């Protein structure tokens, strides 16, 4: 059984270092950004979304723990009184494939309900087949699909 603990400042700092690089890399892999611009664009997006870090209003960043072991993180934002958005979920290497992602998604739904939310959205890169499969199993439906082709 896992638990979600609100991120503290040092956990947030570690997460941010990882997240900016990971987000930049995902955009490069998806063909959205060029390598030389990716880190700067990613950093700017995080600054815009989380101007006050882990204390940004209407954003809940959690460390996922199995007992006292940190196994990942999840970030939920309250966008309206009824709608939330999961900006990020990561299960750290070495802990993947053990059901932590599924458990964390179920726990974040409980957090969302406590906040009065009725719907949760999320974004997943098209090439992330594992995450897409998990979200579909949990009842998430595609609401739009963007496609492109290199010519």
């Amino acid at each position: 059984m896992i638990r979600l603990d609100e991120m503290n400042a040092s956990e947030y700092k570690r997460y941010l270092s990882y997240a900016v690089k990971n987000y930049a890399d995902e955009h490069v892999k998806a063909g959205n950004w060029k390598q030389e611009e990716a880190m700067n664009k990613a950093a700017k997006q995080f600054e815009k979304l989380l101007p006050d870090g882990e204390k940004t209003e209407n954003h809940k960043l959690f460390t996922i723990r199995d007992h006292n072991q940190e196994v990942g993180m999840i970030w939920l934002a309250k966008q309206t009184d009824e709608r939330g958005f999961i900006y990020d979920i990561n299960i750290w290497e070495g802990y993947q494939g053990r059901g932590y992602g599924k458990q964390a998604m179920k726990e974040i739904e409980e957090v969302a309900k406590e906040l009065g939310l009725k719907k949760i959205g999320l974004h997943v890169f098209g090439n992330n087949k594992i995450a897409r499969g998990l979200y579909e199993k949990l009842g998430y439906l595609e609401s739009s699909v963007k496609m492109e082709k290199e010519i």
Side-chain angles (χ1 to χ4, degrees), residues 24-33 123 125-127 148 150:
D25 290 346
E26 289 296 325
H27 272 286
V28 170
K29 278 191 248 174
N32 301 331
W33 296 343
H123 169 268
F125 285 99
N127 63 349
E148 60 185 34
E150 268 193 52

Side-chain angles (χ1 to χ4, degrees), residues 3 9 12 14 28 34 39 43 53 60-61 69 76 78 106-108 111 130 140 144:
R3 72 176 191 273
Y12 175 74
R14 280 194 325 269
V28 170
K34 294 178 181 167
M39 285 295 286
K60 300 280 188 187
L61 289 103
Q69 183 62 49
L76 174 69
K78 183 177 179 183
K106 288 182 177 183
E107 288 294 317
I108 207 68
V111 172
I130 294 171
Y140 286 78
S144 70

Side-chain angles (χ1 to χ4, degrees), residues 12 19-20 24 32 36 46 50 52 57 60 77 86 90 93 102 108 114 122 132-133 136 140 142 144-146 148:
Y12 175 74
V20 169
N32 301 331
E36 57 273 8
F46 275 86
L50 296 167
D52 296 320
E57 188 177 3
K60 300 280 188 187
I86 297 170
N90 287 286
E93 265 187 57
K102 184 177 184 178
I108 207 68
E114 289 171 13
L122 53 80
R132 288 181 71 173
E136 287 169 3
Y140 286 78
E142 289 182 358
S144 70
V145 177
K146 177 183 169 187
E148 60 185 34

Side-chain angles (χ1 to χ4, degrees), residues 7 16 30 49 101 103 111 113 117 125 131 141:
M7 246 184 225
L16 188 62
L49 286 169
Q103 289 177 56
V111 172
K113 286 176 189 173
L117 304 177
F125 285 99
L141 303 173

Side-chain angles (χ1 to χ4, degrees), residues 3 7-8 13 25 40 51 64 90 95:
R3 72 176 191 273
M7 246 184 225
N8 63 40
K13 190 174 179 179
D25 290 346
N40 189 40
I64 304 166
N90 287 286
Y95 298 101

Side-chain angles (χ1 to χ4, degrees), residues 4-133:
L4 304 182
D5 293 335
E6 288 193 30
M7 246 184 225
N8 63 40
S10 64
E11 289 168 337
Y12 175 74
K13 190 174 179 179
R14 280 194 325 269
Y15 163 67
L16 188 62
S17 299
Y18 162 81
V20 169
K21 182 178 181 338
N22 187 59
Y23 190 62
D25 290 346
E26 289 296 325
H27 272 286
V28 170
K29 278 191 248 174
N32 301 331
W33 296 343
K34 294 178 181 167
Q35 183 72 47
E36 57 273 8
E37 67 185 1
M39 285 295 286
N40 189 40
K41 282 186 168 191
K44 283 183 179 180
Q45 286 208 353
F46 275 86
E47 287 169 16
K48 183 179 176 184
L49 286 169
L50 296 167
D52 296 320
E54 79 282 3
K55 295 182 187 325
T56 301
E57 188 177 3
N58 294 320
H59 290 259
K60 300 280 188 187
L61 289 103
F62 296 97
T63 298
I64 304 166
R65 287 196 171 79
D66 181 355
H67 296 92
N68 289 326
Q69 183 62 49
E70 182 179 330
V71 298
M73 63 73 53
I74 191 166
W75 167 13
L76 174 69
K78 183 177 179 183
Q79 294 184 315
T80 69
D81 286 343
E82 292 190 352
R83 187 174 182 88
F85 192 83
I86 297 170
Y87 274 99
D88 204 0
I89 177 172
N90 287 286
I91 303 302
W92 308 136
E93 265 187 57
Y95 298 101
Q96 297 168 354
R98 299 185 190 179
Y100 292 127
K102 184 177 184 178
Q103 289 177 56
M105 292 294 289
K106 288 182 177 183
E107 288 294 317
I108 207 68
E109 287 178 15
E110 294 305 314
V111 172
K113 286 176 189 173
E114 289 171 13
L115 294 171
L117 304 177
K118 308 267 186 269
K119 284 187 174 187
I120 301 175
L122 53 80
H123 169 268
V124 61
F125 285 99
N127 63 349
N128 192 342
K129 305 280 189 227
I130 294 171
R132 288 181 71 173

